[in-house]
Amino acid sequence: MSQVVAEGVFVQRADGPRMIAGRRKADGEVRFPMPSGPDAALYDAIEITGEGRLWSYTMQRFRPKTPPYIGADDEKTFKPFALGYVEFPGQVIIEGRILVDDIARLKIGQPMRVVIESFPTSSRGELSTYAFEPTT
């Protein structure tokens, strides 16, 4: 596996990847990603189930500004991609890329699963990152 986009964001299990979030000790609120720094002590790390439902989505049709975007493409080679929020009921809503060939296939409430994909960058080589894909 290539280098990960960020430590502590996801973990690969035998039955598939899981996102790592933080549950605040004081009230149980779940945040993604797991808070770091001084606030980390206020949270317990938890694994989010690998399947959720599409909450909202859009199409990223232009190359984001660099920084913070670190893709290996440029204005001419950029390929639009679906981007959305997946709800993990009772836990959290997480934003990420949606791996789909045709955005017309997406429907709010559609079952989605967490997957790991390779992401070529302009500065850090190829990274492993999380994304979502429809289960149907």
Side-chain angles (χ1 to χ4, degrees):
M1 180 184 274
S2 62
Q3 179 183 4
V4 296
V5 68
E7 291 297 326
V9 173
F10 63 85
V11 63
Q12 185 72 302
R13 298 286 182 223
D15 60 346
R18 300 286 184 264
M19 307 303 292
I20 305 296
R23 178 176 286 127
R24 191 164 41 208
K25 295 173 184 176
D27 61 9
E29 179 181 323
V30 177
R31 293 200 177 174
F32 177 83
M34 169 70 180
S36 60
D39 287 344
L42 303 174
Y43 292 83
D44 291 320
I46 60 169
E47 290 185 18
I48 302 295
T49 180
E51 295 191 0
R53 297 212 171 260
L54 187 59
W55 189 78
S56 182
Y57 65 93
T58 191
M59 194 73 175
Q60 177 71 38
R61 298 188 189 280
F62 60 91
R63 188 178 190 277
K65 286 174 58 174
T66 299
Y69 183 71
I70 59 172
D73 51 16
D74 59 29
E75 295 294 333
K76 292 181 181 178
T77 60
F78 175 77
K79 292 185 176 139
F81 57 87
L83 180 68
Y85 291 92
V86 173
E87 179 179 22
F88 297 88
Q91 296 180 313
V92 70
I93 297 173
I94 298 175
E95 178 187 11
R97 288 174 69 116
I98 300 175
L99 306 182
V100 64
D101 294 330
D102 180 6
I103 196 168
R105 285 186 52 211
L106 297 177
K107 304 288 182 243
I108 300 298
Q110 179 176 14
M112 304 292 283
R113 75 174 142 243
V114 177
V115 295
I116 304 303
E117 73 164 336
S118 292
F119 180 71
T121 76
S122 59
S123 60
R124 293 178 56 197
E126 190 136 318
L127 299 177
S128 291
T129 190
Y130 70 92
F132 306 109
E133 69 180 7
T135 61
T136 56

